[in-house]
Amino acid sequence: MNVSTYRFSLDLDKQDSQEYVTVRQGDTAKCLSVLIKESGTPYIITDGTAAVLSAKKPDGTYITADCTITEENRVEVVLPATFTANVGILECCIQLTEDSAALSSPPFAINVEDKPTA
Protein backbone atom coordinates (compact mmCIF):
# COMPACT_ATOMS: atom_id res chain seq x y z
CA MET A 1 0.00 0.00 0.00
CA ASN A 2 1.19 3.50 -0.78
CA VAL A 3 1.33 6.05 2.00
CA SER A 4 -1.01 9.04 1.65
CA THR A 5 0.95 12.27 2.10
CA TYR A 6 -0.55 15.52 3.38
CA ARG A 7 1.67 18.49 2.48
CA PHE A 8 1.45 21.85 4.24
CA SER A 9 3.63 24.65 5.53
CA LEU A 10 4.00 26.41 8.88
CA ASP A 11 5.46 29.91 9.21
CA LEU A 12 7.57 30.60 12.30
CA ASP A 13 6.37 34.22 12.28
CA LYS A 14 2.70 33.22 12.52
CA GLN A 15 2.26 31.44 15.83
CA ASP A 16 -1.51 30.98 15.61
CA SER A 17 -2.77 27.53 14.63
CA GLN A 18 -2.40 27.46 10.88
CA GLU A 19 -3.32 23.93 9.87
CA TYR A 20 -5.96 21.32 10.65
CA VAL A 21 -5.24 17.76 9.47
CA THR A 22 -7.99 15.13 9.50
CA VAL A 23 -7.27 11.39 9.69
CA ARG A 24 -9.31 8.31 10.59
CA GLN A 25 -8.91 6.29 13.76
CA GLY A 26 -6.37 3.52 13.20
CA ASP A 27 -4.74 5.10 10.12
CA THR A 28 -1.03 4.22 9.93
CA ALA A 29 -0.36 5.02 6.27
CA LYS A 30 -0.69 8.81 6.58
CA CYS A 31 2.43 10.95 6.17
CA LEU A 32 2.74 14.60 7.12
CA SER A 33 5.19 16.56 4.97
CA VAL A 34 5.80 20.00 6.46
CA LEU A 35 7.72 22.90 4.96
CA ILE A 36 8.74 25.27 7.73
CA LYS A 37 8.95 28.90 6.66
CA GLU A 38 10.17 32.14 8.19
CA SER A 39 8.38 35.29 6.97
CA GLY A 40 7.15 33.33 3.95
CA THR A 41 10.60 32.08 2.94
CA PRO A 42 11.60 28.43 3.45
CA TYR A 43 13.53 28.02 6.70
CA ILE A 44 16.83 26.22 6.03
CA ILE A 45 17.24 23.23 8.35
CA THR A 46 20.96 22.63 8.82
CA ASP A 47 22.68 19.25 8.77
CA GLY A 48 22.70 17.61 12.18
CA THR A 49 19.28 18.96 13.17
CA ALA A 50 16.80 16.48 14.64
CA ALA A 51 13.03 16.83 14.27
CA VAL A 52 10.27 15.42 16.47
CA LEU A 53 6.48 15.63 16.16
CA SER A 54 5.06 16.31 19.63
CA ALA A 55 1.36 16.09 20.44
CA LYS A 56 -0.91 16.61 23.41
CA LYS A 57 -3.74 14.06 23.39
CA PRO A 58 -7.30 14.90 24.47
CA ASP A 59 -6.65 13.15 27.82
CA GLY A 60 -3.73 15.51 28.53
CA THR A 61 -0.92 13.02 27.95
CA TYR A 62 1.91 13.69 25.50
CA ILE A 63 3.26 11.54 22.67
CA THR A 64 6.11 12.03 20.22
CA ALA A 65 7.30 10.61 16.92
CA ASP A 66 10.70 11.01 15.29
CA CYS A 67 10.68 12.80 11.94
CA THR A 68 13.01 12.79 8.98
CA ILE A 69 14.31 15.84 7.16
CA THR A 70 14.27 15.41 3.39
CA GLU A 71 16.67 16.75 0.78
CA GLU A 72 13.89 19.21 -0.13
CA ASN A 73 14.17 20.66 3.40
CA ARG A 74 10.80 19.23 4.48
CA VAL A 75 10.04 17.58 7.82
CA GLU A 76 8.23 14.28 7.29
CA VAL A 77 6.65 11.72 9.58
CA VAL A 78 4.36 8.75 9.00
CA LEU A 79 1.84 8.89 11.83
CA PRO A 80 2.35 5.95 14.18
CA ALA A 81 -0.58 4.03 15.65
CA THR A 82 -0.24 5.92 18.95
CA PHE A 83 -1.31 9.12 17.17
CA THR A 84 -4.46 7.65 15.62
CA ALA A 85 -5.52 5.16 18.31
CA ASN A 86 -8.22 7.36 19.84
CA VAL A 87 -10.81 9.74 18.43
CA GLY A 88 -10.18 13.40 19.27
CA ILE A 89 -8.02 16.41 18.51
CA LEU A 90 -4.26 16.30 19.01
CA GLU A 91 -2.52 19.64 19.64
CA CYS A 92 0.79 19.33 17.77
CA CYS A 93 4.03 21.06 16.92
CA ILE A 94 7.34 20.11 15.36
CA GLN A 95 10.43 20.58 17.49
CA LEU A 96 13.81 21.08 15.84
CA THR A 97 16.92 20.55 17.96
CA GLU A 98 20.66 20.73 17.34
CA ASP A 99 23.18 20.62 20.18
CA SER A 100 21.70 22.92 22.85
CA ALA A 101 19.54 24.94 20.42
CA ALA A 102 15.80 24.29 20.06
CA LEU A 103 13.04 25.74 17.88
CA SER A 104 9.34 24.86 17.83
CA SER A 105 6.99 25.29 14.90
CA PRO A 106 3.65 27.03 15.22
CA PRO A 107 0.97 24.72 16.60
CA PHE A 108 -1.34 22.72 14.38
CA ALA A 109 -4.09 20.19 15.01
CA ILE A 110 -4.64 16.61 13.97
CA ASN A 111 -8.30 15.62 14.15
CA VAL A 112 -8.70 11.85 14.53
CA GLU A 113 -12.21 10.96 13.39
CA ASP A 114 -14.11 7.77 14.09
CA LYS A 115 -14.13 5.15 11.35
CA PRO A 116 -17.48 4.90 9.57
CA THR A 117 -19.24 1.61 10.17
CA ALA A 118 -20.28 -0.52 7.23
Side-chain angles (χ1 to χ4, degrees):
M1 171 189 310
N2 292 325
V3 173
S4 172
T5 301
Y6 186 83
R7 291 174 178 79
F8 61 100
S9 62
L10 297 169
D11 196 310
L12 294 170
D13 291 338
K14 298 178 182 176
Q15 286 296 316
D16 55 337
S17 187
Q18 300 173 31
E19 197 65 39
Y20 193 80
V21 179
T22 301
V23 298
R24 295 282 183 194
Q25 185 178 21
D27 283 355
T28 56
K30 187 69 163 189
C31 175
L32 304 182
S33 179
V34 183
L35 178 63
I36 296 177
K37 295 182 177 183
E38 185 174 35
S39 298
T41 302
Y43 177 80
I44 303 302
I45 302 172
T46 59
D47 288 340
T49 301
V52 173
L53 173 63
S54 298
K56 181 179 177 185
K57 295 169 51 174
D59 66 5
T61 59
Y62 289 86
I63 53 177
T64 61
D66 290 335
C67 304
T68 58
I69 299 169
T70 69
E71 290 180 10
E72 294 81 29
N73 206 44
R74 297 183 77 85
V75 177
E76 293 191 343
V77 60
V78 175
L79 294 178
T82 54
F83 275 72
T84 63
N86 299 308
V87 172
I89 296 176
L90 303 173
E91 300 171 21
C92 304
C93 77
I94 294 171
Q95 297 173 321
L96 302 174
T97 57
E98 182 181 11
D99 299 324
S100 62
L103 183 64
S104 295
S105 76
F108 63 97
I110 297 175
N111 178 27
V112 181
E113 292 187 346
D114 198 9
K115 287 190 246 183
T117 56

